[in-house]
Amino acid sequence: MSDTLSPTLQLAVELIRRPSVTPHDAGCQKLLTERLQKLDFKVTDLPFGEVENFWARRGTAGPLLVFAGHTDVVPTGPEEHWEHPPFEAAVIDGVLHGRGAADMKGSLAAFMTACERFITKHPNHKGSIGWLITSDEEGHAVNGTVKVVEYLESINEKIDWCIVGEPSSTHTVGDVIKNGRRGSLGANLKIKGIQGHVAYPHLADNPIHRAAPALHSLASEHWDEGNEFFPATSFQISNINGGTGATNVIPGELDVMFNLRFSTELTADIIKERAETILNSHDLNYEIDWRLFGIPFLTSEGPLVEAAQKAISQVRGIDTTLSTSGGTSDGRFIAPTGAQVVELGPINATIHRVNEQVLANEIDQLSDIYETMMEYLLLD
Protein backbone atom coordinates (compact mmCIF):
# COMPACT_ATOMS: atom_id res chain seq x y z
CA MET A 1 0.00 0.00 0.00
CA SER A 2 2.82 2.45 0.86
CA ASP A 3 4.07 2.46 -2.75
CA THR A 4 0.79 4.01 -3.91
CA LEU A 5 0.48 6.63 -1.17
CA SER A 6 1.81 10.18 -1.20
CA PRO A 7 4.65 10.98 1.23
CA THR A 8 2.18 12.78 3.49
CA LEU A 9 -0.20 9.80 3.61
CA GLN A 10 2.68 7.39 4.19
CA LEU A 11 3.75 9.36 7.25
CA ALA A 12 0.17 9.68 8.51
CA VAL A 13 -0.19 5.90 8.29
CA GLU A 14 3.06 5.37 10.21
CA LEU A 15 1.88 7.72 12.96
CA ILE A 16 -1.61 6.23 13.27
CA ARG A 17 -0.14 2.73 13.59
CA ARG A 18 1.53 3.85 16.82
CA PRO A 19 -1.22 3.52 19.49
CA SER A 20 -0.39 6.73 21.34
CA VAL A 21 -3.37 7.04 23.67
CA THR A 22 -2.88 9.92 26.15
CA PRO A 23 -0.38 10.38 27.71
CA HIS A 24 1.66 7.82 25.79
CA ASP A 25 3.56 8.79 22.66
CA ALA A 26 4.36 5.26 21.42
CA GLY A 27 7.34 6.42 19.37
CA CYS A 28 5.59 9.09 17.31
CA GLN A 29 7.85 11.90 18.44
CA LYS A 30 11.01 9.92 17.71
CA LEU A 31 9.75 9.38 14.18
CA LEU A 32 9.18 13.12 13.79
CA THR A 33 12.42 14.32 15.40
CA GLU A 34 14.56 11.99 13.28
CA ARG A 35 13.14 13.59 10.16
CA LEU A 36 13.48 17.10 11.58
CA GLN A 37 17.14 16.54 12.45
CA LYS A 38 17.78 15.69 8.80
CA LEU A 39 16.48 19.17 8.00
CA ASP A 40 18.96 20.77 10.43
CA PHE A 41 16.51 21.34 13.25
CA LYS A 42 17.99 21.48 16.72
CA VAL A 43 15.77 19.22 18.84
CA THR A 44 15.27 19.52 22.59
CA ASP A 45 13.38 16.73 24.34
CA LEU A 46 11.28 18.10 27.21
CA PRO A 47 9.66 15.27 29.19
CA PHE A 48 7.59 16.25 32.20
CA GLY A 49 6.30 13.43 34.36
CA GLU A 50 5.09 10.67 32.05
CA VAL A 51 4.45 13.13 29.22
CA GLU A 52 6.83 13.39 26.28
CA ASN A 53 7.27 16.74 24.55
CA PHE A 54 9.82 18.26 22.24
CA TRP A 55 10.84 21.66 20.96
CA ALA A 56 12.70 21.92 17.66
CA ARG A 57 14.03 24.98 15.88
CA ARG A 58 15.74 25.57 12.56
CA GLY A 59 17.51 28.92 12.41
CA THR A 60 18.27 31.60 14.97
CA ALA A 61 16.85 34.76 13.42
CA GLY A 62 13.32 36.11 13.64
CA PRO A 63 10.54 35.95 12.82
CA LEU A 64 9.82 32.53 14.28
CA LEU A 65 7.02 30.46 12.69
CA VAL A 66 5.99 27.46 14.79
CA PHE A 67 3.97 24.34 14.01
CA ALA A 68 2.25 23.13 17.18
CA GLY A 69 0.40 19.91 17.78
CA HIS A 70 0.06 16.67 19.70
CA THR A 71 0.87 13.03 19.11
CA ASP A 72 -1.58 11.66 21.67
CA VAL A 73 -5.07 10.49 20.77
CA VAL A 74 -8.23 9.74 22.74
CA PRO A 75 -9.18 6.14 23.57
CA THR A 76 -10.85 4.16 20.81
CA GLY A 77 -13.80 2.78 22.73
CA PRO A 78 -14.84 -0.80 21.85
CA GLU A 79 -12.67 -1.72 18.87
CA GLU A 80 -15.29 -4.18 17.62
CA HIS A 81 -17.47 -1.18 16.82
CA TRP A 82 -14.93 0.13 14.30
CA GLU A 83 -15.39 -0.66 10.64
CA HIS A 84 -11.60 -0.94 10.38
CA PRO A 85 -9.23 -1.54 13.32
CA PRO A 86 -8.46 1.91 14.78
CA PHE A 87 -4.67 1.55 14.65
CA GLU A 88 -4.48 -0.26 11.33
CA ALA A 89 -4.50 3.04 9.39
CA ALA A 90 -6.31 1.68 6.37
CA VAL A 91 -6.58 3.80 3.22
CA ILE A 92 -9.62 2.56 1.32
CA ASP A 93 -11.34 4.24 -1.63
CA GLY A 94 -9.55 7.51 -0.98
CA VAL A 95 -10.35 7.63 2.75
CA LEU A 96 -7.80 7.37 5.59
CA HIS A 97 -9.30 5.46 8.53
CA GLY A 98 -7.91 5.34 12.05
CA ARG A 99 -7.73 6.96 15.45
CA GLY A 100 -5.90 10.25 14.99
CA ALA A 101 -6.52 10.55 11.26
CA ALA A 102 -8.21 13.90 11.84
CA ASP A 103 -7.07 14.71 15.38
CA MET A 104 -4.29 15.20 14.64
CA LYS A 105 -1.80 12.83 13.05
CA GLY A 106 -2.92 13.85 9.58
CA SER A 107 -1.90 17.43 10.41
CA LEU A 108 1.45 16.31 11.83
CA ALA A 109 2.21 14.46 8.61
CA ALA A 110 1.19 17.51 6.60
CA PHE A 111 3.40 19.73 8.78
CA MET A 112 6.37 17.49 8.09
CA THR A 113 6.11 17.11 4.33
CA ALA A 114 5.37 20.83 3.95
CA CYS A 115 8.55 21.63 5.87
CA GLU A 116 10.58 19.10 3.91
CA ARG A 117 9.51 20.54 0.56
CA PHE A 118 9.87 24.15 1.64
CA ILE A 119 13.33 23.74 3.16
CA THR A 120 14.58 21.72 0.17
CA LYS A 121 13.46 24.51 -2.15
CA HIS A 122 14.46 27.41 0.14
CA PRO A 123 17.29 26.32 2.45
CA ASN A 124 18.21 29.94 3.13
CA HIS A 125 14.72 31.17 4.00
CA LYS A 126 14.41 34.14 6.31
CA GLY A 127 13.57 33.75 9.98
CA SER A 128 13.22 30.41 11.75
CA ILE A 129 10.88 27.44 11.82
CA GLY A 130 9.90 25.71 15.06
CA TRP A 131 7.99 22.66 16.17
CA LEU A 132 6.24 22.39 19.55
CA ILE A 133 4.81 18.90 20.07
CA THR A 134 3.24 17.26 23.14
CA SER A 135 1.58 13.98 24.09
CA ASP A 136 -0.71 15.57 26.68
CA GLU A 137 -3.25 17.61 24.69
CA GLU A 138 -6.14 15.16 24.98
CA GLY A 139 -5.62 14.60 28.70
CA HIS A 140 -5.20 16.95 31.65
CA ALA A 141 -2.83 19.20 29.66
CA VAL A 142 -0.71 19.97 32.71
CA ASN A 143 2.65 18.50 31.61
CA GLY A 144 2.46 19.29 27.92
CA THR A 145 2.37 22.51 25.93
CA VAL A 146 1.92 24.67 29.02
CA LYS A 147 5.22 23.39 30.42
CA VAL A 148 7.03 23.75 27.09
CA VAL A 149 5.83 27.35 26.82
CA GLU A 150 7.11 28.01 30.34
CA TYR A 151 10.47 26.59 29.25
CA LEU A 152 10.55 28.78 26.14
CA GLU A 153 9.70 31.86 28.19
CA SER A 154 12.51 31.01 30.63
CA ILE A 155 15.07 31.05 27.80
CA ASN A 156 13.45 34.08 26.13
CA GLU A 157 12.42 32.11 23.05
CA LYS A 158 9.62 34.17 21.46
CA ILE A 159 7.14 32.74 18.98
CA ASP A 160 5.86 35.23 16.42
CA TRP A 161 3.43 33.06 14.47
CA CYS A 162 1.96 29.68 15.41
CA ILE A 163 -0.05 27.25 13.29
CA VAL A 164 -1.90 24.70 15.42
CA GLY A 165 -2.95 21.62 13.45
CA GLU A 166 -6.28 21.07 15.20
CA PRO A 167 -9.10 19.90 12.90
CA SER A 168 -10.75 23.24 12.14
CA SER A 169 -12.50 22.55 8.84
CA THR A 170 -16.23 21.89 8.55
CA HIS A 171 -17.16 20.70 5.05
CA THR A 172 -13.89 20.83 3.11
CA VAL A 173 -10.32 21.45 4.18
CA GLY A 174 -9.62 25.14 4.66
CA ASP A 175 -13.21 26.36 4.73
CA VAL A 176 -12.83 27.37 8.40
CA ILE A 177 -9.82 28.42 10.44
CA LYS A 178 -9.91 29.17 14.12
CA ASN A 179 -8.37 32.55 14.86
CA GLY A 180 -9.26 32.41 18.54
CA ARG A 181 -11.02 30.41 21.20
CA ARG A 182 -13.35 31.19 24.08
CA GLY A 183 -12.08 30.91 27.61
CA SER A 184 -13.19 27.98 29.77
CA LEU A 185 -13.88 28.31 33.49
CA GLY A 186 -15.19 25.37 35.49
CA ALA A 187 -16.43 25.06 39.05
CA ASN A 188 -17.18 22.36 41.61
CA LEU A 189 -19.86 23.74 43.90
CA LYS A 190 -20.79 22.04 47.18
CA ILE A 191 -23.98 23.27 48.85
CA LYS A 192 -24.34 22.20 52.47
CA GLY A 193 -27.58 21.41 54.28
CA ILE A 194 -28.68 19.20 57.16
CA GLN A 195 -29.56 15.56 56.53
CA GLY A 196 -32.81 14.28 57.97
CA HIS A 197 -36.01 12.30 57.51
CA VAL A 198 -38.36 13.50 54.80
CA ALA A 199 -41.27 13.25 57.25
CA TYR A 200 -39.62 15.83 59.51
CA PRO A 201 -38.40 18.55 57.12
CA HIS A 202 -38.38 21.14 59.93
CA LEU A 203 -35.50 19.19 61.49
CA ALA A 204 -33.46 19.19 58.26
CA ASP A 205 -32.25 21.66 55.67
CA ASN A 206 -32.58 20.41 52.09
CA PRO A 207 -29.62 21.64 49.99
CA ILE A 208 -31.39 20.67 46.77
CA HIS A 209 -34.28 22.97 47.54
CA ARG A 210 -31.89 25.76 48.52
CA ALA A 211 -29.78 25.29 45.40
CA ALA A 212 -32.57 25.29 42.83
CA PRO A 213 -33.30 29.06 42.83
CA ALA A 214 -29.59 29.88 42.89
CA LEU A 215 -28.82 27.59 39.97
CA HIS A 216 -31.74 29.08 38.05
CA SER A 217 -30.29 32.55 38.66
CA LEU A 218 -26.88 31.46 37.40
CA ALA A 219 -28.34 29.75 34.34
CA SER A 220 -30.53 32.74 33.43
CA GLU A 221 -27.84 35.38 34.07
CA HIS A 222 -27.03 37.53 31.05
CA TRP A 223 -23.26 37.50 31.27
CA ASP A 224 -22.42 39.63 28.21
CA GLU A 225 -23.36 40.38 24.61
CA GLY A 226 -20.29 38.81 23.05
CA ASN A 227 -18.63 40.82 20.31
CA GLU A 228 -17.69 40.76 16.63
CA PHE A 229 -15.59 37.63 17.06
CA PHE A 230 -17.19 35.81 20.01
CA PRO A 231 -20.73 34.72 20.90
CA ALA A 232 -22.18 35.69 24.26
CA THR A 233 -20.77 33.87 27.27
CA SER A 234 -22.61 30.62 28.05
CA PHE A 235 -23.22 28.91 31.39
CA GLN A 236 -23.93 25.17 31.49
CA ILE A 237 -24.49 22.82 34.42
CA SER A 238 -22.74 19.57 33.61
CA ASN A 239 -23.37 17.42 36.68
CA ILE A 240 -25.56 17.36 39.82
CA ASN A 241 -25.21 14.76 42.54
CA GLY A 242 -26.97 14.55 45.91
CA GLY A 243 -28.82 12.16 48.17
CA THR A 244 -28.27 8.73 49.68
CA GLY A 245 -30.29 6.77 47.16
CA ALA A 246 -33.19 6.44 49.57
CA THR A 247 -36.51 8.22 48.97
CA ASN A 248 -37.06 8.98 52.64
CA VAL A 249 -33.80 10.81 53.39
CA ILE A 250 -33.19 14.52 52.90
CA PRO A 251 -29.56 14.83 51.75
CA GLY A 252 -26.98 16.77 53.68
CA GLU A 253 -24.99 17.98 50.68
CA LEU A 254 -25.42 18.68 46.99
CA ASP A 255 -22.53 18.68 44.51
CA VAL A 256 -22.86 20.67 41.30
CA MET A 257 -20.41 21.02 38.43
CA PHE A 258 -20.75 23.82 35.89
CA ASN A 259 -18.74 25.49 33.15
CA LEU A 260 -18.68 28.89 31.49
CA ARG A 261 -17.32 29.45 27.99
CA PHE A 262 -16.54 33.14 27.93
CA SER A 263 -15.51 35.81 25.48
CA THR A 264 -12.91 38.56 25.62
CA GLU A 265 -15.64 40.78 27.11
CA LEU A 266 -15.05 39.16 30.50
CA THR A 267 -12.23 37.88 32.66
CA ALA A 268 -12.27 34.83 34.89
CA ASP A 269 -12.08 37.03 37.99
CA ILE A 270 -15.13 39.05 36.92
CA ILE A 271 -17.10 35.85 36.32
CA LYS A 272 -16.12 34.44 39.70
CA GLU A 273 -17.13 37.64 41.48
CA ARG A 274 -20.50 37.83 39.73
CA ALA A 275 -21.26 34.14 40.28
CA GLU A 276 -20.40 34.27 43.96
CA THR A 277 -22.50 37.42 44.38
CA ILE A 278 -25.47 35.48 42.99
CA LEU A 279 -24.80 32.51 45.28
CA ASN A 280 -24.45 34.80 48.30
CA SER A 281 -27.74 36.50 47.50
CA HIS A 282 -29.50 33.17 48.04
CA ASP A 283 -28.13 32.73 51.57
CA LEU A 284 -26.38 29.45 50.82
CA ASN A 285 -23.85 27.60 52.92
CA TYR A 286 -21.46 26.57 50.17
CA GLU A 287 -17.91 25.89 49.07
CA ILE A 288 -16.74 26.48 45.53
CA ASP A 289 -13.59 25.33 43.78
CA TRP A 290 -12.84 27.14 40.54
CA ARG A 291 -10.61 25.84 37.74
CA LEU A 292 -9.52 28.01 34.84
CA PHE A 293 -8.93 25.75 31.83
CA GLY A 294 -8.00 28.55 29.46
CA ILE A 295 -8.39 32.27 28.84
CA PRO A 296 -9.91 33.53 25.59
CA PHE A 297 -7.51 34.48 22.84
CA LEU A 298 -7.94 36.17 19.49
CA THR A 299 -5.77 36.84 16.44
CA SER A 300 -8.13 39.19 14.64
CA GLU A 301 -5.73 40.22 11.89
CA GLY A 302 -2.06 40.30 10.92
CA PRO A 303 0.44 38.45 8.72
CA LEU A 304 -0.49 34.96 9.95
CA VAL A 305 -4.23 35.27 9.28
CA GLU A 306 -3.51 36.90 5.92
CA ALA A 307 -1.08 34.12 4.96
CA ALA A 308 -3.64 31.46 5.85
CA GLN A 309 -6.38 33.15 3.84
CA LYS A 310 -4.14 33.63 0.81
CA ALA A 311 -2.76 30.08 0.96
CA ILE A 312 -6.21 28.53 1.19
CA SER A 313 -7.41 30.64 -1.72
CA GLN A 314 -4.35 29.69 -3.79
CA VAL A 315 -4.41 25.95 -3.05
CA ARG A 316 -8.14 25.29 -2.70
CA GLY A 317 -9.69 28.16 -4.63
CA ILE A 318 -12.07 28.96 -1.76
CA ASP A 319 -12.54 31.73 0.77
CA THR A 320 -12.11 30.79 4.41
CA THR A 321 -14.25 31.72 7.39
CA LEU A 322 -12.66 32.94 10.61
CA SER A 323 -14.20 31.33 13.69
CA THR A 324 -13.72 31.17 17.45
CA SER A 325 -16.23 28.37 18.03
CA GLY A 326 -15.57 25.01 19.62
CA GLY A 327 -13.72 23.88 22.70
CA THR A 328 -10.26 24.67 23.98
CA SER A 329 -6.93 23.88 22.32
CA ASP A 330 -3.28 24.26 23.23
CA GLY A 331 -3.36 27.59 21.45
CA ARG A 332 -4.60 28.95 24.79
CA PHE A 333 -1.12 28.43 26.25
CA ILE A 334 0.75 29.94 23.30
CA ALA A 335 -1.28 33.06 22.55
CA PRO A 336 -0.67 34.76 25.94
CA THR A 337 3.05 34.98 25.10
CA GLY A 338 2.17 37.50 22.38
CA ALA A 339 2.19 35.08 19.46
CA GLN A 340 -0.31 35.26 16.63
CA VAL A 341 -2.13 31.91 16.59
CA VAL A 342 -4.40 30.18 14.09
CA GLU A 343 -5.76 26.64 14.04
CA LEU A 344 -5.89 25.06 10.62
CA GLY A 345 -6.48 21.37 10.04
CA PRO A 346 -8.72 18.67 8.53
CA ILE A 347 -12.49 18.27 8.71
CA ASN A 348 -13.58 17.74 12.31
CA ALA A 349 -16.77 15.70 11.71
CA THR A 350 -15.41 12.39 13.06
CA ILE A 351 -12.95 13.49 15.76
CA HIS A 352 -13.17 11.46 18.99
CA ARG A 353 -15.76 9.19 17.36
CA VAL A 354 -15.73 5.55 16.34
CA ASN A 355 -14.57 5.27 12.71
CA GLU A 356 -12.53 8.49 12.72
CA GLN A 357 -11.51 9.27 9.13
CA VAL A 358 -10.44 11.92 6.63
CA LEU A 359 -10.32 12.14 2.88
CA ALA A 360 -6.80 11.19 1.88
CA ASN A 361 -6.40 13.93 -0.71
CA GLU A 362 -7.34 16.58 1.85
CA ILE A 363 -4.27 15.70 3.91
CA ASP A 364 -2.16 16.37 0.83
CA GLN A 365 -4.02 19.63 0.24
CA LEU A 366 -3.38 20.60 3.84
CA SER A 367 0.33 20.01 3.34
CA ASP A 368 0.25 22.29 0.28
CA ILE A 369 -1.53 24.99 2.31
CA TYR A 370 1.12 24.84 5.05
CA GLU A 371 3.91 25.07 2.49
CA THR A 372 2.27 28.04 0.80
CA MET A 373 1.88 29.79 4.16
CA MET A 374 5.60 29.39 4.75
CA GLU A 375 6.28 30.93 1.36
CA TYR A 376 4.18 33.98 2.24
CA LEU A 377 5.73 34.35 5.69
CA LEU A 378 9.37 33.30 5.29
CA LEU A 379 10.36 34.44 1.81
CA ASP A 380 11.29 38.02 0.91
Side-chain angles (χ1 to χ4, degrees), residues 66 68-69 104 111 162-166 329 331 334 341-345 370:
V66 170
M104 57 173 285
F111 282 170
C162 182
I163 303 170
V164 183
E166 290 292 342
S329 77
I334 300 167
V341 178
V342 298
E343 298 173 25
L344 171 56
Y370 294 149

Side-chain angles (χ1 to χ4, degrees), residues 175-179 229 299-300 305 309 320-324 342:
D175 63 348
V176 176
I177 60 175
K178 308 288 187 180
N179 66 322
F229 296 99
T299 301
S300 59
V305 168
Q309 291 170 322
T320 192
T321 298
L322 301 179
S323 172
T324 61
V342 298

